[in-house]
Structure formats: C-alpha cells, structure tokens
Amino acid sequence: MSKLDEKIEKYTEACKKLDLDVSAELVEKVTRGLGPSIYNADAESVSCSDPDELARVRENFLKKKLGLGEDDATLDAAIKEVCEAMGSSNRNKYRALFYALLAKKFEKESVYA
C-alpha cells in the first residue's frame, strides 16, 4: 500500500469515527488534490484556534480553489461550523476532511470531479 493510500484510509476511518456526513470518494479526491502537503505533519491538520490559519483557509481554499464570492462573514461562519462538526476537543482536524466538509457545505464537490 502506498503512503497516499495509507493517508486516504486514515482519513476515511477518521471520518467514520467522527460520524461526518461526507463520502469516502470525496475524501479520496480531496486528499489527492492536496498533494505532498499531506505528508507534512504541520500541514496535515487545521488548527481552529489559529486565526491566521483560518484566514488562509478562507482565502486560499474557499475563495481561490472553490471560487466562492460570499462575504468573509459567511465563509468564516462555515469554517466555524466545520470546526464544531469535527469536535472542539479533536486535535486531529485533518485538512482533507476539513476541506471535504467545506466543499460539501457549499455544494462544490464538482471541483474534485
């Protein structure tokens, strides 16, 4: 099994444990889309307590990658909702799951088609 396949399996299992409503197929596509950054421990997870990181998620993922033009307050509310869905005590908010949930929330799964 390749390292990428191991990561996909790890994220799919975490999705099941957290009872997140996102398909394994979307998790796989988002993971593949993240590229080599998933192998860097610092880049693998999203820190919901770091406002700078959340701003980067808003700008680089929601606006640039997904092409969302909503106001920052709407995007920030969605990010907060995903943080809560993944659990405030959960230290492993994997970026692939985080992005998959955001893509699903805004019905932008087609970006990963």
Side-chain angles (χ1 to χ4, degrees):
M1 182 181 293
S2 73
K3 286 185 178 186
L4 177 62
D5 291 333
E6 289 175 9
K7 291 289 185 178
I8 291 169
E9 186 176 308
K10 175 181 176 180
Y11 301 151
T12 303
E13 288 301 315
C15 188
K16 289 176 187 174
K17 284 181 185 176
L18 294 170
D19 196 29
L20 300 173
D21 184 27
V22 64
S23 72
E25 182 181 343
L26 182 58
V27 171
E28 179 179 349
K29 288 178 180 180
V30 172
T31 303
R32 289 183 186 282
L34 286 170
S37 67
I38 61 168
Y39 304 113
N40 179 336
D42 291 341
E44 182 181 34
S45 298
V46 173
S47 172
C48 288
S49 61
D50 182 352
D52 291 335
E53 182 169 8
L54 298 180
R56 283 191 300 274
V57 168
R58 182 184 64 231
E59 297 301 319
N60 296 334
F61 180 70
L62 293 176
K63 289 185 176 180
K64 290 181 183 174
K65 177 76 175 179
L66 298 185
L68 297 173
E70 282 82 351
D71 62 279
D72 288 353
T74 301
L75 300 177
D76 289 342
I79 290 170
K80 183 179 179 185
E81 186 179 315
V82 169
C83 286
E84 290 169 1
M86 294 187 80
S88 58
S89 63
N90 177 14
R91 301 192 80 206
N92 294 319
K93 291 180 180 72
Y94 296 120
R95 190 169 303 276
L97 296 180
F98 202 87
Y99 286 4
L101 286 168
L102 286 169
K104 183 173 184 209
K105 173 159 183 57
F106 287 103
E107 298 177 351
K108 290 289 193 172
E109 298 98 324
S110 61
V111 170
Y112 292 99

